[in-house]
Amino acid sequence: MTADGKIADLWRSPARFSSAADKAHLEKQIALVDGVLFGAGTLRAYGTTLPISNPQLLQLRKQQHQLPQPVQIVCSASAEIDPQLPFFSQPVPRWLITTTAGAKAWQGINEGIFERILVASLNLKSIDWIGAFAQLGQLGLKKLAILGGGELVASLLAVDLIDELWLTVCPLILGGAAAPTPVEGAGFSVQQAQRLELLSVERIEQEVFLHYRLQR
Ligand SMILES: NC(=O)c1ccc[n+]([C@@H]2O[C@H](COP(=O)([O-])OP(=O)(O)OC[C@H]3O[C@@H](n4cnc5c(N)ncnc54)[C@H](OP(=O)(O)O)[C@@H]3O)[C@@H](O)[C@H]2O)c1
Protein backbone atom coordinates (compact mmCIF):
# COMPACT_ATOMS: atom_id res chain seq x y z
CA MET A 1 0.00 0.00 0.00
CA THR A 2 1.01 3.64 -0.40
CA ALA A 3 2.12 5.81 2.51
CA ASP A 4 -1.50 7.08 2.65
CA GLY A 5 -2.95 3.57 2.86
CA LYS A 6 -4.18 3.04 -0.71
CA ILE A 7 -3.75 -0.25 -2.58
CA ALA A 8 -4.59 1.21 -6.00
CA ASP A 9 -5.40 4.56 -7.56
CA LEU A 10 -8.88 5.98 -8.00
CA TRP A 11 -9.22 4.18 -11.34
CA ARG A 12 -8.43 0.83 -9.70
CA SER A 13 -5.43 0.34 -11.98
CA PRO A 14 -3.18 -2.60 -11.21
CA ALA A 15 -0.91 -1.69 -8.30
CA ARG A 16 2.52 -1.98 -9.88
CA PHE A 17 4.12 0.69 -7.70
CA SER A 18 6.17 -1.50 -5.36
CA SER A 19 9.84 -2.47 -5.79
CA ALA A 20 11.50 -5.67 -7.00
CA ALA A 21 12.23 -6.42 -3.31
CA ASP A 22 8.50 -6.35 -2.57
CA LYS A 23 7.75 -8.62 -5.52
CA ALA A 24 10.40 -11.09 -4.28
CA HIS A 25 8.90 -10.89 -0.79
CA LEU A 26 5.44 -11.67 -2.22
CA GLU A 27 6.81 -14.61 -4.20
CA LYS A 28 8.49 -15.95 -1.03
CA GLN A 29 5.19 -15.78 0.88
CA ILE A 30 3.31 -17.44 -2.00
CA ALA A 31 5.87 -20.26 -2.01
CA LEU A 32 4.96 -21.07 1.61
CA VAL A 33 1.29 -21.81 0.98
CA ASP A 34 -0.98 -24.45 -0.54
CA GLY A 35 -3.32 -21.94 -2.17
CA VAL A 36 -3.54 -18.27 -3.11
CA LEU A 37 -6.95 -16.61 -2.83
CA PHE A 38 -7.98 -13.33 -4.48
CA GLY A 39 -11.18 -11.47 -5.38
CA ALA A 40 -12.54 -11.26 -8.92
CA GLY A 41 -11.90 -7.47 -8.83
CA THR A 42 -8.19 -8.10 -8.34
CA LEU A 43 -8.14 -10.59 -11.23
CA ARG A 44 -10.06 -8.13 -13.46
CA ALA A 45 -7.54 -5.37 -12.60
CA TYR A 46 -4.35 -7.41 -13.22
CA GLY A 47 -5.54 -10.06 -15.70
CA THR A 48 -2.79 -12.36 -14.40
CA THR A 49 -1.48 -13.89 -11.20
CA LEU A 50 2.08 -14.19 -9.87
CA PRO A 51 3.44 -17.70 -10.44
CA ILE A 52 6.53 -18.87 -8.55
CA SER A 53 9.53 -18.64 -10.85
CA ASN A 54 12.46 -18.46 -8.40
CA PRO A 55 14.29 -21.83 -8.81
CA GLN A 56 15.26 -21.97 -5.10
CA LEU A 57 11.65 -21.54 -4.02
CA LEU A 58 10.51 -24.18 -6.53
CA GLN A 59 13.18 -26.56 -5.19
CA LEU A 60 12.10 -25.91 -1.60
CA ARG A 61 8.50 -26.80 -2.48
CA LYS A 62 9.68 -29.99 -4.17
CA GLN A 63 11.64 -30.99 -1.05
CA GLN A 64 8.52 -30.44 1.03
CA HIS A 65 6.42 -32.59 -1.35
CA GLN A 66 4.29 -29.62 -2.37
CA LEU A 67 2.99 -29.00 -5.90
CA PRO A 68 5.29 -26.61 -7.83
CA GLN A 69 2.60 -23.92 -7.84
CA PRO A 70 0.00 -23.25 -5.14
CA VAL A 71 -3.60 -23.46 -6.37
CA GLN A 72 -4.80 -20.06 -7.59
CA ILE A 73 -8.31 -19.56 -6.23
CA VAL A 74 -10.56 -16.79 -7.54
CA CYS A 75 -13.63 -15.81 -5.55
CA SER A 76 -16.59 -14.31 -7.34
CA ALA A 77 -20.28 -14.32 -6.40
CA SER A 78 -21.32 -13.57 -9.99
CA ALA A 79 -18.60 -15.70 -11.66
CA GLU A 80 -18.61 -13.11 -14.45
CA ILE A 81 -14.97 -13.57 -15.39
CA ASP A 82 -13.59 -13.18 -18.89
CA PRO A 83 -12.18 -16.57 -19.96
CA GLN A 84 -9.87 -14.71 -22.40
CA LEU A 85 -7.83 -13.17 -19.55
CA PRO A 86 -4.11 -14.08 -19.74
CA PHE A 87 -4.55 -15.69 -16.29
CA PHE A 88 -6.21 -18.64 -18.02
CA SER A 89 -3.05 -19.32 -20.06
CA GLN A 90 -0.68 -19.20 -17.09
CA PRO A 91 0.80 -22.56 -16.03
CA VAL A 92 -0.95 -22.71 -12.65
CA PRO A 93 -3.83 -24.76 -11.19
CA ARG A 94 -7.01 -22.65 -11.08
CA TRP A 95 -10.06 -23.05 -8.85
CA LEU A 96 -13.17 -20.88 -8.45
CA ILE A 97 -15.19 -20.26 -5.28
CA THR A 98 -18.64 -18.99 -6.13
CA THR A 99 -22.37 -19.07 -5.37
CA THR A 100 -24.89 -21.56 -6.74
CA ALA A 101 -25.91 -19.02 -9.43
CA GLY A 102 -22.26 -18.33 -10.31
CA ALA A 103 -21.49 -22.03 -10.73
CA LYS A 104 -24.47 -22.40 -13.10
CA ALA A 105 -22.99 -19.76 -15.39
CA TRP A 106 -19.88 -21.95 -15.89
CA GLN A 107 -21.81 -25.17 -16.48
CA GLY A 108 -21.47 -26.59 -19.97
CA ILE A 109 -19.53 -23.71 -21.45
CA ASN A 110 -15.93 -23.04 -20.49
CA GLU A 111 -15.68 -26.30 -18.60
CA GLY A 112 -12.14 -27.25 -17.68
CA ILE A 113 -10.90 -23.65 -17.52
CA PHE A 114 -11.18 -23.96 -13.77
CA GLU A 115 -10.00 -27.36 -12.52
CA ARG A 116 -12.44 -27.15 -9.66
CA ILE A 117 -15.50 -25.01 -8.88
CA LEU A 118 -16.46 -24.86 -5.21
CA VAL A 119 -19.94 -23.66 -4.31
CA ALA A 120 -20.42 -22.02 -0.91
CA SER A 121 -23.35 -19.59 -0.95
CA LEU A 122 -24.45 -17.49 2.00
CA ASN A 123 -26.99 -15.77 -0.27
CA LEU A 124 -27.13 -14.70 -3.93
CA LYS A 125 -24.32 -12.18 -3.56
CA SER A 126 -22.09 -13.53 -0.79
CA ILE A 127 -19.91 -16.49 -0.15
CA ASP A 128 -20.14 -18.58 3.00
CA TRP A 129 -16.46 -18.35 3.97
CA ILE A 130 -16.62 -20.75 6.89
CA GLY A 131 -18.10 -23.39 4.54
CA ALA A 132 -15.66 -22.51 1.74
CA PHE A 133 -12.61 -22.82 4.02
CA ALA A 134 -13.93 -26.14 5.37
CA GLN A 135 -14.12 -27.42 1.77
CA LEU A 136 -10.59 -26.17 1.04
CA GLY A 137 -9.32 -27.92 4.17
CA GLN A 138 -10.96 -31.20 3.12
CA LEU A 139 -9.25 -30.85 -0.26
CA GLY A 140 -5.85 -30.62 1.48
CA LEU A 141 -5.32 -26.85 1.43
CA LYS A 142 -4.22 -25.99 4.96
CA LYS A 143 -2.44 -22.66 4.47
CA LEU A 144 -3.64 -19.86 2.21
CA ALA A 145 -2.26 -16.49 1.18
CA ILE A 146 -4.96 -13.87 0.64
CA LEU A 147 -3.81 -11.38 -2.01
CA GLY A 148 -6.74 -8.98 -1.75
CA GLY A 149 -8.52 -6.87 -2.72
CA GLY A 150 -10.04 -5.00 0.13
CA GLU A 151 -13.52 -6.48 -0.26
CA LEU A 152 -12.30 -10.04 0.13
CA VAL A 153 -10.01 -9.17 3.05
CA ALA A 154 -12.89 -7.39 4.86
CA SER A 155 -15.16 -10.46 4.44
CA LEU A 156 -12.52 -12.80 5.86
CA LEU A 157 -11.67 -10.50 8.78
CA ALA A 158 -15.38 -10.28 9.62
CA VAL A 159 -15.52 -14.06 10.17
CA ASP A 160 -12.10 -14.23 11.83
CA LEU A 161 -10.37 -16.28 9.13
CA ILE A 162 -7.14 -14.28 8.94
CA ASP A 163 -4.20 -15.17 11.21
CA GLU A 164 -1.43 -12.87 9.98
CA LEU A 165 -1.09 -9.71 7.95
CA TRP A 166 1.84 -8.49 5.84
CA LEU A 167 1.82 -4.84 4.75
CA THR A 168 4.47 -3.19 2.60
CA VAL A 169 4.41 0.60 2.89
CA CYS A 170 5.60 2.13 -0.41
CA PRO A 171 6.95 5.67 -0.82
CA LEU A 172 4.14 7.37 -2.75
CA ILE A 173 0.79 9.03 -2.09
CA LEU A 174 -2.27 8.39 -4.26
CA GLY A 175 -5.09 10.02 -2.27
CA GLY A 176 -8.70 9.93 -3.43
CA ALA A 177 -11.52 9.00 -1.08
CA ALA A 178 -12.72 6.29 -3.49
CA ALA A 179 -9.29 4.72 -4.02
CA PRO A 180 -9.27 1.23 -2.48
CA THR A 181 -7.57 0.41 0.82
CA PRO A 182 -6.37 -2.95 2.24
CA VAL A 183 -9.71 -3.50 4.02
CA GLU A 184 -12.97 -2.29 2.48
CA GLY A 185 -16.43 -3.61 3.41
CA ALA A 186 -18.77 -1.84 5.85
CA GLY A 187 -15.99 -1.11 8.37
CA PHE A 188 -15.64 -2.02 12.03
CA SER A 189 -16.30 0.17 15.05
CA VAL A 190 -13.37 0.81 17.40
CA GLN A 191 -14.96 -1.69 19.82
CA GLN A 192 -15.28 -4.36 17.10
CA ALA A 193 -11.84 -3.69 15.58
CA GLN A 194 -9.48 -6.62 15.23
CA ARG A 195 -6.34 -5.95 17.28
CA LEU A 196 -2.91 -6.71 15.89
CA GLU A 197 0.40 -7.68 17.41
CA LEU A 198 3.45 -6.40 15.53
CA LEU A 199 5.79 -9.35 14.86
CA SER A 200 8.48 -7.67 12.75
CA VAL A 201 9.47 -4.48 10.94
CA GLU A 202 12.07 -4.39 8.18
CA ARG A 203 13.22 -1.50 6.04
CA ILE A 204 14.56 -2.25 2.55
CA GLU A 205 15.63 0.93 0.79
CA GLN A 206 12.51 3.14 0.65
CA GLU A 207 9.93 0.53 1.70
CA VAL A 208 8.84 -0.75 5.12
CA PHE A 209 7.74 -4.39 5.54
CA LEU A 210 5.34 -4.88 8.44
CA HIS A 211 4.33 -8.29 9.74
CA TYR A 212 1.38 -8.54 12.14
CA ARG A 213 -0.46 -11.34 13.89
CA LEU A 214 -4.16 -11.04 14.68
CA GLN A 215 -4.71 -11.06 18.43
CA ARG A 216 -7.12 -13.74 19.61
N1 LIG B 1 -1.75 -3.13 -3.78
C1 LIG B 1 -2.04 -4.39 -3.68
O1 LIG B 1 -1.30 -5.19 -3.13
C2 LIG B 1 -3.34 -4.90 -4.26
C3 LIG B 1 -3.69 -6.24 -4.08
C4 LIG B 1 -4.90 -6.68 -4.61
C5 LIG B 1 -5.74 -5.80 -5.27
N2 LIG B 1 -5.36 -4.52 -5.41
C6 LIG B 1 -6.25 -3.57 -6.09
O2 LIG B 1 -7.55 -3.70 -5.56
C7 LIG B 1 -8.51 -3.42 -6.57
C8 LIG B 1 -9.52 -4.58 -6.66
O3 LIG B 1 -10.18 -4.65 -5.46
P1 LIG B 1 -11.75 -4.88 -5.31
O4 LIG B 1 -12.27 -3.86 -4.40
O5 LIG B 1 -12.39 -5.05 -6.65
O6 LIG B 1 -11.75 -6.17 -4.44
P2 LIG B 1 -11.65 -7.73 -4.70
O7 LIG B 1 -11.91 -8.31 -3.36
O8 LIG B 1 -10.41 -8.12 -5.42
O9 LIG B 1 -12.83 -8.08 -5.70
C9 LIG B 1 -14.15 -7.84 -5.41
C10 LIG B 1 -14.97 -8.89 -6.14
O10 LIG B 1 -14.56 -10.21 -5.71
C11 LIG B 1 -15.69 -10.98 -5.37
N3 LIG B 1 -15.77 -11.04 -3.90
C12 LIG B 1 -14.92 -10.51 -2.99
N4 LIG B 1 -15.34 -10.81 -1.75
C13 LIG B 1 -16.48 -11.52 -1.88
C14 LIG B 1 -17.38 -12.11 -0.96
N5 LIG B 1 -17.20 -12.01 0.35
N6 LIG B 1 -18.46 -12.77 -1.46
C15 LIG B 1 -18.67 -12.87 -2.78
N7 LIG B 1 -17.84 -12.32 -3.72
C16 LIG B 1 -16.74 -11.67 -3.26
C17 LIG B 1 -16.86 -10.24 -5.99
O11 LIG B 1 -16.86 -10.64 -7.34
P3 LIG B 1 -18.11 -10.53 -8.33
O12 LIG B 1 -18.36 -9.09 -8.52
O13 LIG B 1 -17.62 -11.21 -9.58
O14 LIG B 1 -19.23 -11.24 -7.69
C18 LIG B 1 -16.43 -8.79 -5.81
O15 LIG B 1 -17.07 -7.88 -6.68
C19 LIG B 1 -7.78 -3.25 -7.87
O16 LIG B 1 -7.64 -1.88 -8.12
C20 LIG B 1 -6.40 -3.84 -7.57
O17 LIG B 1 -5.39 -3.20 -8.30
C21 LIG B 1 -4.18 -4.05 -4.93
Side-chain angles (χ1 to χ4, degrees), residues 119-177:
V119 178
S121 304
L122 201 58
N123 54 48
L124 280 180
K125 290 202 170 163
S126 326
I127 286 165
D128 160 22
W129 285 111
I130 304 282
F133 273 46
Q135 290 187 53
L136 293 173
Q138 281 161 8
L139 291 163
L141 275 63
K142 303 295 182 207
K143 190 169 179 184
L144 296 180
I146 315 300
L147 295 200
E151 191 181 331
L152 172 63
V153 174
S155 311
L156 296 178
L157 276 173
V159 287
D160 207 11
L161 281 173
I162 295 187
D163 300 312
E164 292 181 20
L165 187 69
W166 278 101
L167 279 175
T168 306
V169 183
C170 303
L172 77 161
I173 290 175
L174 284 169

Side-chain angles (χ1 to χ4, degrees), residues 1 7-8 12-15 17 38-46 75-80 125-127 129 147-153 155 180 184:
M1 66 175 195
I7 60 164
R12 295 185 172 256
S13 326
F17 48 73
F38 43 92
T42 296
L43 177 60
R44 289 180 193 118
Y46 290 83
C75 87
S76 168
S78 71
E80 283 170 15
K125 290 202 170 163
S126 326
I127 286 165
W129 285 111
L147 295 200
E151 191 181 331
L152 172 63
V153 174
S155 311
E184 298 281 308

Side-chain angles (χ1 to χ4, degrees), residues 94-99 102-103 106-107 110-111 114-119 135:
R94 283 172 287 270
W95 292 7
L96 172 69
I97 296 182
T98 187
T99 55
W106 282 79
Q107 258 170 21
N110 299 317
E111 263 176 11
F114 284 110
E115 281 176 20
R116 205 179 269 279
I117 296 182
L118 305 182
V119 178
Q135 290 187 53

